[in-house]
Amino acid sequence: MTTPRSFPFLLGGARTGGDTEALARAAAEQLPPGTGQRRLHPASHDLPEYADARHAPGGPEVRPTTGGEALLLEAALGASDLVSASPPSWYSLSSATERYLDHRAVCIVKWQVTGLV
């Protein structure tokens, strides 16, 4: 049996209903009927500034359990695919998208290695 696919769309635009969201919506329409979809706006979840704790004793071990940070993490961990839609900002991603990815990339890898996910 095939595992159902789930696509959280990480919307990095500053405006809800803007061009970034329209582009993500057009992409989502191409998915097969019944495919799990969810739209997430990291900018509306007040993520704290990222503090790089990779080389600190114990590293980034605290897994968020409440609030926007936990919601965004659970959406990423429960997904088969993660779609990021972000307007280009000086040849980079939006600050909301970068902040989200800073938090998730380090923590998810550490938790997978240590068995916390």
Side-chain angles (χ1 to χ4, degrees), residues 38-102:
R38 186 174 185 181
R39 284 160 189 75
L40 302 167
H41 297 269
S44 65
H45 291 289
D46 197 28
L47 293 175
E49 285 295 325
Y50 175 70
D52 187 352
R54 290 176 295 168
H55 302 291
E61 298 211 23
V62 178
R63 182 173 179 166
T65 57
T66 61
E69 194 173 359
L71 175 108
L72 294 169
L73 174 63
E74 293 308 318
L77 292 176
S80 61
D81 303 81
L82 180 65
V83 180
S84 175
S86 178
S89 174
W90 290 97
Y91 306 101
S92 186
L93 300 171
S94 68
S95 60
T97 301
E98 283 190 20
R99 181 176 293 163
Y100 169 80
L101 293 174
D102 284 343

